[in-house]
Amino acid sequence: MLTISLFAPSSFLVQTTPVLVMKFGGTSLADPERILAAIGLIDQAADEGFSPVIAASAMGKTTDALIDLARQLDADIDGPDRDLLLSTGEVVSCALLSAALNARGRPAVALTGQAAGIVTDQSHGRARIQYVAARRLRSEVAAGRIPIVAGFQGASRGGRVTTLGRGASDTTAVALATALDADHCRIYTDVDGIYSADPRLVPAARKIAQISYEEILEMAALGAGVMHARSVEVAGRNRVPIEVRSSFNSNPGTWIMHADQIDIETGAGVRAVVDDADVAQITVVGVPDRPGLAHSVFAPLAEDDISVDVIVQNISHQGLSDISFTVQRSDYEKALAATQLTAREIGAQQVTSDPQVAKLSLVGTGMVSTPGVAAGMFGCLAETGINIRGITTSEIRVTCLIGEAHLAKGARALHTAFGLDA
């Protein structure tokens, strides 16, 4: 759990103007032209009476380039060395933004995650923020300087540089907003906001004006690349409003907030259709019906750090049952090999698999009080000629496993059936 350490601010650290945390993603800082555009947005926020604090991602595909560089050197880089290498991308962005702002008469200071007081655990590559010691940040803001903080990184208590996982600059931004009691956190990206479906699959998808933390968490968990899930967890726990908007235009974005702050009609029923094609299915056929065998199937996967999603187990017939589950495609070969070994050990009949499946989901907090959503979804897919291979649900989500070839057709049909078309 993230704890925010503000320390006891002395009188000279009193902040009179509201803080606005602005996070710029890699596409928003991809080249000098985009960096200058980001500076324009920072200037605009300052002119509007905010004290900007910036969380910066690495430029464009810098992180991928650094990983590729290590591969070219045939270096099996991991742990602390990998974190130190990958953290340099965000540091470059910070230095460039700070230098450009200072050159234009807007005082700024570039800070690594460690210098900004971001303290994490020691889990290299996927560290979690333990607390933010915000005295340095508050001092810089009170002095009229704009802190430019490297996203995606921090340091353990022992002083080792750590990284938070790909896409975690969002988490950095929300942690800073929490620590500084910011007015809100603004996430700049290459899209106008959050849509009711992927516009590339569903041309009728529309931008959502307001959405709850819970809905975004479900969407992120289902594969929608809208926000880093941990950033939403931190924002929801601390009630930090987030606005997701484009750095390429001035259009209003999408506000992420607590469900009780959302307009009643806006929050009704199904809010979005979420698709995920990064799915592979594995089925263990003819598992003996004995206690503990399900654990035997999934324990090796957990030990290999493989996340399992949609799980379906049929009712036992003649002492045998089938267990089916999904994994990300990057884990498919590893998961299949481990499951085949387990199947032999427990006496299962065989293992079948399909690496070309997909998930379609309906998400919305209003689904709790809206009867018939699941039935409507199943009926819509049936009418569209799409077979359902598995089902999983939560209070605000229904997910169906289908063949990947039917993904676009199913997404469009559901979007229309539940009244989400623009």
Side-chain angles (χ1 to χ4, degrees), residues 250-297:
S250 58
N251 296 336
T254 297
W255 282 91
I256 305 172
M257 58 187 69
H258 200 274
D260 61 16
Q261 297 174 301
I262 295 177
D263 297 340
I264 294 175
E265 291 189 5
T266 300
V270 175
R271 306 296 311 284
V273 177
V274 183
D275 66 272
D276 183 9
D278 184 19
V279 183
Q281 186 177 36
I282 298 173
T283 302
V284 187
V285 179
V287 178
D289 188 16
R290 298 197 306 269
L293 290 194
H295 174 264
S296 298
V297 170

Side-chain angles (χ1 to χ4, degrees), residues 22-89:
M22 308 169 72
K23 178 260 179 177
F24 292 95
T27 54
S28 300
L29 302 173
D31 53 45
E33 181 182 358
R34 295 313 314 160
I35 291 175
L36 291 174
I39 288 171
L41 293 169
I42 296 168
D43 282 337
Q44 181 180 336
D47 292 340
E48 290 172 355
F50 288 106
S51 292
V53 174
I54 314 304
S57 297
M59 297 173 62
K61 301 293 185 181
T62 298
T63 303
D64 291 333
L66 290 169
I67 293 172
D68 186 59
L69 180 60
R71 290 199 189 102
Q72 291 179 44
L73 294 171
D74 197 23
D76 186 17
I77 190 167
D78 203 1
D81 288 341
R82 179 184 174 90
D83 277 2
L84 186 60
L85 172 67
L86 298 188
S87 70
T88 62

Side-chain angles (χ1 to χ4, degrees), residues 37 49 57 100 157 207 213 217 243 278 301 341 375:
S57 297
R157 291 176 184 267
K207 184 166 60 180
Y213 300 119
L217 274 174
E243 184 185 14
D278 184 19
L301 301 177
L341 178 61

Side-chain angles (χ1 to χ4, degrees), residues 117-407:
I118 299 173
V119 180
T120 75
D121 61 23
Q122 300 181 54
S123 302
H124 289 284
R126 52 183 179 185
R128 299 184 74 88
I129 298 174
Q130 294 184 329
Y131 62 90
V132 178
R135 177 179 288 275
R136 171 73 184 276
L137 290 170
R138 287 187 176 276
S139 177
E140 298 291 353
V141 171
R145 288 184 288 270
I146 300 173
I148 314 292
V149 180
F152 168 69
Q153 63 179 258
S156 65
R157 291 176 184 267
R160 286 271 199 175
V161 172
T162 56
T163 61
L164 312 180
R166 297 299 293 267
S169 290
D170 290 349
T171 304
T172 300
V174 174
L176 295 175
T178 304
L180 297 170
D181 194 25
D183 184 84
H184 65 282
C185 181
R186 190 176 290 170
I187 305 293
Y188 284 98
T189 182
D190 56 357
V191 295
D192 281 353
I194 296 163
Y195 280 74
S196 55
D198 184 344
R200 295 169 297 182
L201 269 148
V202 184
R206 56 183 174 80
K207 184 166 60 180
I208 300 171
Q210 300 173 338
I211 196 163
S212 71
Y213 300 119
E214 293 84 359
E215 289 165 329
I216 288 296
L217 274 174
E218 285 284 7
M219 292 172 70
L222 291 167
V226 288
M227 285 281 294
H228 196 264
R230 278 158 50 195
S231 70
V232 183
E233 291 174 2
V234 176
R237 194 158 55 240
N238 296 283
R239 296 182 75 96
V240 176
I242 301 173
E243 184 185 14
V244 180
R245 62 187 302 171
S246 175
S247 61
F248 295 83
N249 60 55
S250 58
N251 296 336
T254 297
W255 282 91
I256 305 172
M257 58 187 69
H258 200 274
D260 61 16
Q261 297 174 301
I262 295 177
D263 297 340
I264 294 175
E265 291 189 5
T266 300
V270 175
R271 306 296 311 284
V273 177
V274 183
D275 66 272
D276 183 9
D278 184 19
V279 183
Q281 186 177 36
I282 298 173
T283 302
V284 187
V285 179
V287 178
D289 188 16
R290 298 197 306 269
L293 290 194
H295 174 264
S296 298
V297 170
F298 294 111
L301 301 177
E303 291 171 2
D304 287 340
D305 202 25
I306 297 173
S307 295
V308 175
D309 191 6
V310 181
I311 301 174
V312 178
Q313 180 173 0
N314 65 5
I315 299 173
S316 175
H317 293 288
Q318 298 180 337
L320 299 173
S321 63
D322 299 340
I323 300 176
S324 179
F325 59 91
T326 63
V327 297
Q328 291 182 326
R329 289 184 184 174
S330 59
D331 291 327
Y332 169 65
E333 297 291 345
K334 189 176 180 181
L336 181 60
T339 303
Q340 289 171 334
L341 178 61
T342 300
R344 289 193 293 270
E345 291 174 349
I346 65 177
Q349 292 177 343
Q350 64 174 323
V351 175
T352 63
S353 63
D354 185 350
Q356 295 184 322
V357 295
K359 291 186 298 186
L360 265 182
S361 306
L362 298 180
V363 176
T365 52
M367 289 167 54
V368 176
S369 57
T370 306
V373 171
M377 181 181 192
F378 304 154
C380 175
L381 293 177
E383 291 172 5
T384 314
I386 298 174
N387 184 46
I388 298 173
R389 304 186 184 187
I391 301 166
T392 182
T393 66
S394 75
E395 284 191 340
I396 64 170
R397 181 257 306 161
V398 181
T399 296
C400 289
L401 198 63
I402 64 173
E404 183 185 4
H406 303 298
L407 187 60

